[in-house]
Each structure stands twice: as C-alpha cells, then as structure tokens.
Amino acid sequence: MTSKKHNIFNFLLVAIPWLSVFFLDKRSIKRYSVSSILIAIYEVISHINGRKKKYWKFYEQPKNFFRDELPFDLGPYVPASMWILKYTYKNFKLFVIVNAIFNAFFAFLFIPFLEKIKILRLHRLNYFQFFLYIHYKAYLLYGVQYLIEKVRKSNQMDERFN
C-alpha cells in the first residue's frame, strides 16, 4: 500500500512544475513543447531500462512503475525542459551549464533528500553516475529542438515561395 507521504510527494512532484507553465508565454509553450515531450517519452523508456537494471530502489512495496518512476517523468521533466530551452536555446554553452546545474542539484542534493525521507535510493549507481545518466539527455533535448527549428524554418521558406 502506498504511504500518505509518498502520495503527497508524487502530487507535489507533478503539480508544482506544471503550475510554473502558466508563467510561460504561449509562443514558448508551442515552440518547445514538442521536443520536451519527445525527450520525456525517451526518459520514460530510459526509466523502464533503469528499473530493469536496478539503478535505484524505491522503499514502498509492492514496486509500481506508475507510482514510483512515472511521476518523475510527468512532473519536472517537461516543464523544466521548456523553461531551460526558453532561456538558453541558441546559446549552447549556457544551455549546457544550466542543465548541468539543474542535473547536479537533482543528483547531488535531491536524491540524498529522497533517501533521507525514504522514497528512493540509488542502488547500482553512485551520485556522479546518476548525474551522467540524467545529464546526457540534455544534449538529446537540444538536438531534437535544433532539428525541429530546422524543419520549421524549411517549412516557412517553402510557404514563402509557394
């Protein structure tokens, strides 16, 4: 049975980041949502793989992907991706630095907090390996957004000449 603490944590993990989307302008949501959602889908697949390889363990029994890993994918990942792209896209160095700071916060501060409140703990990864596990996806996010921008520009050029 899921503990009340875990339910509250999952609710906050999903609700707080998505409430921040109300402060994004519609243009940014439209521009960055596709790449953020595609990378979130990749993240779900990555979490399924990480779950099989036992990179982490959740304290609650029985184990349940929808209760354990999925809130991390639905919650902070898409809104954070949109915010980071909004303020750093077209400046790759800044994008990498901001993502590294965000991912370092998650790996080195938030994961120990989750261990302390007995939500999850890392099992086959140390904090630095977990940082690398989440950070490499930033490069995929930037690449996907770059390709989307390229396609959009190409479509706009086609419309101008037709």
Side-chain angles (χ1 to χ4, degrees):
M1 175 144 177
T2 306
S3 71
K4 186 176 180 179
K5 172 182 68 174
H6 199 124
N7 285 333
I8 291 169
F9 172 78
N10 283 349
F11 174 77
L12 294 174
L13 186 67
V14 174
I16 291 171
W18 278 101
L19 287 173
S20 76
V21 173
F22 288 114
F23 299 103
L24 274 171
D25 56 293
K26 287 182 183 180
R27 181 179 174 268
S28 294
I29 293 171
K30 184 178 178 182
R31 183 176 181 188
Y32 302 121
S33 63
V34 174
S35 59
S36 298
I37 290 168
L38 287 173
I39 295 302
I41 291 168
Y42 179 81
E43 180 70 11
V44 168
I45 295 165
S46 181
H47 272 160
I48 291 168
N49 186 44
R51 180 183 182 83
K52 286 179 186 173
K53 293 184 178 186
K54 298 181 180 168
Y55 287 159
W56 49 79
K57 286 189 176 184
F58 283 83
Y59 286 93
E60 298 264 329
Q61 296 291 335
K63 306 299 182 207
N64 184 325
F65 177 81
F66 294 101
R67 182 200 62 226
D68 296 338
E69 285 93 352
L70 194 61
F72 286 91
D73 299 325
L74 296 178
Y77 207 82
V78 174
S81 296
M82 287 192 287
W83 278 104
I84 291 170
L85 283 169
K86 175 185 168 114
Y87 288 109
T88 64
Y89 186 69
K90 301 263 180 165
N91 185 341
F92 186 69
K93 287 180 185 177
L94 182 61
F95 177 82
V96 170
I97 290 168
V98 169
N99 265 285
I101 291 168
F102 184 84
N103 293 328
F105 169 81
F106 193 79
F108 298 110
L109 298 175
F110 194 61
I111 294 296
F113 170 74
L114 295 178
E115 291 173 349
K116 198 172 261 189
I117 64 169
K118 303 241 186 262
I119 299 287
L120 78 88
R121 66 182 172 87
L122 295 179
H123 180 63
R124 292 194 173 172
L125 298 175
N126 62 36
Y127 295 128
F128 182 71
Q129 290 168 326
F130 184 74
F131 167 79
L132 294 176
Y133 173 80
I134 60 175
H135 184 67
Y136 84 89
K137 296 167 192 136
Y139 302 98
L140 295 175
L141 174 65
Y142 197 90
V144 168
Q145 184 62 37
Y146 177 81
L147 292 174
I148 289 170
E149 296 283 328
K150 200 171 185 178
V151 168
R152 282 187 181 150
K153 282 183 183 178
S154 174
N155 289 342
Q156 288 172 352
M157 293 297 278
D158 287 346
E159 288 175 9
R160 286 184 190 162
F161 292 114
N162 285 334

